[in-house]
Amino acid sequence: MSIVVTGATGQLGRLVVDALLAGGSAVPAESVVAVVRDKEKAADLAERGVELRIADYSRPETLAEAFEAGDRVLLISGSEVGRRVAQHAAVIDAAKAAGVAQLAYTGVLGGDEADFDLAAEHKETERLILGSGLPYTLLRNGWYTENYTANLAPVLAHGAVVANAGEGRIASASRADYAAAAAAVLTGPAEEHLNKAYELSGDTAWSLAEYAAEVAAQTGREITYSNVPAEAHLAILTGAGVPEAFAEILVDVDRAVEQGALAVRTGDLARLIGRPTTPIAVTIKEALNGS
Ligand SMILES: NC(=O)c1ccc[n+]([C@@H]2O[C@H](COP(=O)([O-])OP(=O)(O)OC[C@H]3O[C@@H](n4cnc5c(N)ncnc54)[C@H](OP(=O)(O)O)[C@@H]3O)[C@@H](O)[C@H]2O)c1
């Protein structure tokens, strides 16, 4: 029996492996398996003693060897929007064929109630997991604070956070917080976490005006929040080179933020990780320091 992390060369996946090896769970490296599609990219994981299994969500035949009976598996949702239901279905089929003991999945806050475009593939994946009969744990992740701090350069260049989210609030947490939660459900007593859905989000919900004010305070610059109509935001994003389809997704996410879809706070994340979630001020500071 191993703890298996797919998407292990991604940003979240690497943090999950870190949390497994070094966190409170401290799993021996030989019990951790990284499912990756690019062996070279995972060389550092192999050096740490983690077993690599090479598989691509888009090539079902490569998934046949990805899992073994009794494995506790984390399926990290893919990044290719529009292709993910078929990809995740292939992973679920492979997990079922192997007879894994737990399939955890990184979905989206709100689960089947989430009504924004980006949620559709997660909802369908959850439906497939439930239909598979596998013992599951749904990790319905809220927003990463890093979704915002990764875009600090244009904010600093223009002195503005531009969005169409109105006064909507976002209960984000750091990627490392969500990774620690995933490690907790993969290593904790299975009976505690099986066939459960966790709504994971930060302890504090903040508005983009508050975010702008925090960036201003930390940089000593004037940074304002510019709330614009959805069409204007779409034009700004595409004008800045964001592909139209992705820009539409971002505008739709802001619409969901304005309606409160990402402000939900249940306390599940802090409970799973046994500490408060990371405040946005900390993640902003790390981004400004380049760490
Ligand atoms: N909650 C949020 O705020 C939020 C924000 C953005 C994304 N997400 C979702 O959460 C996931 C993890 O986030 P992240 O920041 O770690 O994203 P990321 O850095 O883009 O990582 C995505 C991972 O999925 C792997 N992957 C993609 N397509 C694959 C395929 N066809 N076969 C095998 N592996 C594949 C990637 O492999 P490679 O390393 O080989 O590229 C990578 O390891 C994302 O993929 C997305 O579904 C959530």
Side-chain angles (χ1 to χ4, degrees):
M1 172 293 223
S2 301
I3 295 177
V4 183
V5 181
T6 74
T9 44
Q11 298 167 91
L12 181 68
R14 284 186 180 282
L15 291 168
V16 174
V17 173
D18 286 347
L20 288 169
L21 298 182
S25 26
V27 177
E30 58 271 22
S31 299
V32 178
V33 173
V35 173
V36 302
R37 56 179 168 177
D38 181 344
K39 195 174 172 187
E40 301 301 310
K41 203 173 166 186
D44 58 317
L45 298 177
E47 268 167 34
R48 294 171 77 183
V50 170
E51 180 191 339
L52 303 185
R53 295 183 192 156
I54 311 303
D56 187 323
Y57 301 163
S58 291
R59 294 166 52 221
E61 70 282 7
T62 65
L63 289 159
E65 308 283 308
F67 311 117
E68 290 177 357
D71 284 348
R72 297 178 76 171
V73 177
L74 173 65
L75 165 55
I76 292 188
S77 47
S79 43
E80 297 161 328
V81 176
R83 303 181 61 196
R84 296 187 291 182
V85 174
Q87 292 177 334
H88 297 166
V91 177
I92 295 162
D93 286 349
K96 171 102 180 162
V100 308
Q102 178 184 23
L103 180 64
Y105 171 69
T106 60
V108 75
L109 188 65
D112 44 9
E113 303 287 312
D115 78 340
F116 46 104
D117 294 347
L118 211 45
E121 290 174 301
H122 293 296
K123 291 198 277 192
E124 183 58 18
T125 301
E126 286 196 358
R127 210 184 56 73
L128 293 172
I129 290 171
L130 297 182
S132 75
L134 281 169
Y136 64 85
T137 310
L138 302 178
L139 299 165
R140 293 174 169 166
N141 289 348
W143 255 212
Y144 307 147
T145 306
E146 289 89 342
N147 294 344
Y148 296 90
T149 57
N151 286 311
L152 274 174
V155 168
L156 296 175
H158 301 295
V161 174
V162 181
N164 57 288
E167 300 306 310
R169 302 182 83 78
I170 304 159
S172 70
S174 69
R175 260 197 198 84
D177 292 338
Y178 294 106
V185 304
L186 292 167
T187 55
E191 60 279 8
E192 252 180 53
H193 303 300
L194 290 188
N195 304 330
K196 289 221 173 115
Y198 293 107
E199 301 286 345
L200 303 177
S201 57
D203 296 341
T204 307
W206 44 273
S207 69
L208 286 168
E210 290 166 3
Y211 174 73
E214 182 60 34
V215 176
Q218 290 198 23
T219 57
R221 302 217 210 151
E222 191 178 332
I223 312 277
T224 55
Y225 171 42
S226 173
N227 182 46
V228 296
E231 307 73 50
H233 191 202
L234 185 66
I236 290 167
L237 290 168
T238 52
V242 177
E244 176 116 17
F246 189 57
E248 279 172 1
I249 285 173
L250 296 177
V251 167
D252 183 65
V253 162
D254 276 5
R255 178 193 60 76
V257 167
E258 182 162 33
Q259 293 173 353
L262 291 159
V264 176
R265 287 176 300 149
T266 62
D268 279 356
L269 180 50
R271 267 192 297 279
L272 278 178
I273 65 181
R275 59 169 170 78
T277 62
T278 306
I280 62 164
V282 171
T283 307
I284 291 170
K285 189 170 202 169
E286 285 170 1
L288 290 170
N289 290 341
S291 59

